[in-house]
Amino acid sequence: RIEEAASVFQNIVRTEPDNADAWHFLGIIAAQTGHTDAARKMISQAIGINALQANYFISLARVETNTGNHKSAISALNKAISIDPEDAGAYADLAEVLHATADHKNAEAAMMRALQISPSTVDFYERAARMLQDNGNSAEAANFYRKAIDVRTEILEKAQTQQSHMSEIPRISLGQI
């Protein structure tokens, strides 16, 4: 399926060389298949066409992070955040890259901003807990793991409530209309 998707996007860029989304998706596919140099070039091509898409910079940052180029990853994430200051995922990714560079103070600030923007994202609490645990702060990490469990429980309870409300809606057959 990845080969099919790559073929589709390659055809698009052949006929529409200024299609930033197609270049971006080709870059993601290249990254997923281990072709990091090609991924970097394709995502950079997308950015060159449309430098106002925060997700392009986030994708580039992930490629840079996976190749250990933390400085470039931080730069790309800061650019994504400047484009979309409410992108909680960009802050969470930035926190992890900063953590990897031992900039724990700024990593913590970035993760707190991610949680402030998106307080119901379980993954962010778990990522914060892992970072705290890595830093030797087990007690605080445990608090974040508990919060992740609480948020997950709230989400499940809301889903169950919605499902029970849906079952209360009477079913109407076409013959009744």
Side-chain angles (χ1 to χ4, degrees):
R1 300 214 139 233
I2 260 184
E3 294 84 18
E4 291 173 32
S7 179
V8 167
F9 290 119
Q10 286 168 344
N11 287 333
I12 292 171
V13 297
R14 262 189 231 104
T15 59
E16 301 173 43
D18 287 338
N19 188 317
D21 287 334
W23 282 110
H24 178 234
F25 288 124
L26 279 171
I28 290 171
I29 292 167
Q32 290 175 344
T33 56
H35 299 94
T36 54
D37 287 337
R40 188 179 290 113
K41 288 175 186 171
M42 291 172 184
I43 295 168
S44 293
Q45 179 75 18
I47 291 168
I49 296 166
N50 184 354
L52 296 177
Q53 290 294 323
N55 59 324
Y56 297 174
F57 288 95
I58 293 168
S59 295
L60 180 60
R62 289 178 179 159
V63 170
E64 298 296 2
T65 299
N66 290 337
T67 59
N69 193 349
H70 296 118
K71 186 176 180 180
S72 292
I74 291 167
S75 176
L77 288 164
N78 281 327
K79 180 64 177 169
I81 290 166
S82 75
I83 294 167
D84 183 0
E86 296 301 309
D87 189 326
Y91 281 100
D93 287 357
L94 178 61
E96 287 196 322
V97 177
L98 290 167
H99 177 72
T101 65
D103 185 350
H104 303 299
K105 181 180 176 185
N106 286 322
E108 182 179 333
M111 187 57 79
M112 292 304 107
R113 180 67 180 129
L115 286 165
Q116 180 184 31
I117 295 168
S118 186
S120 61
T121 303
V122 173
D123 177 58
F124 295 166
Y125 290 100
E126 292 172 343
R127 289 162 79 174
R130 282 190 298 273
M131 285 190 293
L132 288 163
Q133 204 166 14
D134 288 349
N135 294 342
N137 194 341
S138 297
E140 191 65 22
N143 289 335
F144 276 88
Y145 280 125
R146 277 193 280 287
K147 183 63 178 173
I149 292 168
D150 292 344
V151 170
R152 184 175 282 122
T153 301
E154 289 172 24
I155 292 168
L156 290 172
E157 288 172 353
K158 286 179 184 176
Q160 289 171 342
T161 300
Q162 288 174 345
Q163 187 177 26
S164 70
H165 289 311
M166 292 299 290
S167 66
E168 296 170 6
I169 298 173
R171 298 192 185 269
I172 299 173
S173 69
L174 290 176
Q176 294 175 311
I177 299 177

